[in-house]
C-alpha cells in the first residue's frame, strides 16, 4: 500500500532532513501536506531548523513575524488557504 512516496519514510532520518534542506518554502509546505506522517514529522520543534533554513534561502525575504511560526509564515506567503496551517501546532 502507498504511492510513489511510500519508501520516503524508510530512508534514514538524516538523509530525509538533508533532502528537506534543499526544498524551497512552498515545496516544504507541500511536502508536509502530503501525508499525516510527514505532517507529524515536519511540525515538531526538532525540525524547526529546516523551516528556518528554507526561509533563509529566499533572497530579501523579511524575517518571520514574532506572532507566527515558520510554517504559518510560509503559508501566509505562498498559499491562499492559510487557515489550514494557522491552527495550533507543536512547532
Amino acid at each position: 500500500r502507498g504511492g510513489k512516496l511510500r519508501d520516503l519514510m524508510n530512508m534514514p532520518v538524516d538523509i530525509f532532513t538533508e533532502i528537506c534542506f534543499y526544498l524551497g518554502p512552498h515545496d516544504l509546505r507541500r511536502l508536509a501536506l502530503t501525508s499525516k506522517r510527514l505532517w507529524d514529522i515536519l511540525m515538531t520543534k526538532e525540525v524547526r531548523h529546516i523551516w528556518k533554513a528554507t526561509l533563509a534561502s529566499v533572497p530579501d525575504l523579511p524575517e518571520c513575524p514574532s506572532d507566527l511560526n515558520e510554517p504559518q509564515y510560509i503559508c501566509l506567503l505562498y498559499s491562499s488557504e492559510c487557515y489550514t496551517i494557522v491552527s495550533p501546532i507543536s512547532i
Side-chain angles (χ1 to χ4, degrees):
R1 182 187 153 149
K4 293 180 181 179
L5 296 177
R6 70 180 169 270
D7 293 329
L8 185 66
M9 299 316 302
N10 294 332
M11 73 174 63
V13 175
D14 55 333
I15 294 174
F16 174 73
T17 55
E18 186 67 26
I19 290 169
C20 289
F21 275 113
Y22 289 95
L23 299 177
H26 181 67
D27 293 328
L28 185 58
R29 178 183 173 274
R30 298 295 296 164
L31 180 62
L33 293 171
T34 302
S35 72
K36 178 163 179 13
R37 177 130 188 232
L38 286 172
W39 175 270
D40 291 343
I41 291 169
L42 291 170
M43 293 298 153
T44 62
K45 290 179 183 176
E46 289 78 22
V47 297
R48 189 170 193 178
H49 62 284
I50 295 172
W51 293 95
K52 288 179 180 262
T54 195
L55 284 171
S57 72
V58 179
D60 302 320
L61 185 67
E63 279 192 39
C64 181
S66 60
D67 59 335
L68 297 176
N69 61 44
E70 290 78 12
Q72 290 171 329
Y73 186 44
I74 289 170
C75 187
L76 180 66
L77 294 172
Y78 295 98
S79 176
S80 60
E81 67 255 351
C82 197
Y83 60 87
T84 63
I85 203 167
V86 173
S87 61
I89 58 177
S90 59
I91 194 167

